[in-house]
Amino acid sequence: QVQLVESGGGLVQAGGSLRLSCSASGIIFSIKTMAWYRQAPGKQRELVASITSVGSTNYADSVKGRFTISRDNAKNTVYLQMDSLKPEDTAVYYCHVLWSNSWGQGTQVTVSS
């Protein structure tokens, strides 16, 4: 039984920072590629960042240079550090195990102008 629990969302002004966390259980975390997705109202869910089991990362063009994905295998946790936030980053952010149907419940990030 896979469980992913996101935390760290909130309301922040443009230019500010947030760090999201996703705590995973029910998987062999260390061998999984993990990802963060987001979905804004009226838009499709999109891939924000991913990190492989060996630490290779990929980012959406819209967040490159501003967001950093990382993982702590000892804690079964993946993080998304979000800096220089923009109003267009406003969305519900979801944790995901790649190549699975495992999703977290989501955490709301709202960036005010």
Side-chain angles (χ1 to χ4, degrees):
Q1 187 88 346
V2 179
Q3 186 174 35
L4 305 172
V5 181
E6 302 99 332
S7 62
L11 174 64
V12 65
Q13 68 179 32
S17 297
L18 287 171
R19 188 165 95 150
L20 307 184
S21 298
C22 171
S23 178
S25 61
I27 58 170
I28 306 175
F29 181 82
S30 62
I31 67 170
K32 301 295 185 181
T33 296
M34 303 298 296
W36 287 96
Y37 283 72
R38 68 186 181 187
Q39 188 166 25
K43 300 182 69 176
Q44 294 186 182
R45 189 170 297 187
E46 64 174 343
L47 177 65
V48 176
S50 65
I51 183 165
T52 71
S53 61
V54 296
S56 296
T57 59
N58 282 291
Y59 299 92
D61 288 343
S62 59
V63 307
K64 284 180 180 176
R66 300 188 298 119
F67 290 11
T68 304
I69 189 171
S70 62
R71 67 193 297 158
D72 186 338
N73 288 344
K75 297 181 179 180
N76 281 15
T77 301
V78 62
Y79 305 95
L80 186 67
Q81 178 67 43
M82 305 185 295
D83 298 320
S84 301
L85 282 161
K86 304 175 180 179
E88 50 263 48
D89 296 319
T90 295
V92 178
Y93 284 71
Y94 297 91
C95 185
H96 177 56
V97 182
L98 247 69
W99 307 298
S100 80
N101 287 314
S102 299
W103 297 88
Q105 311 98 119
T107 185
Q108 175 71 233
V109 171
T110 303
V111 184
S112 62
S113 60

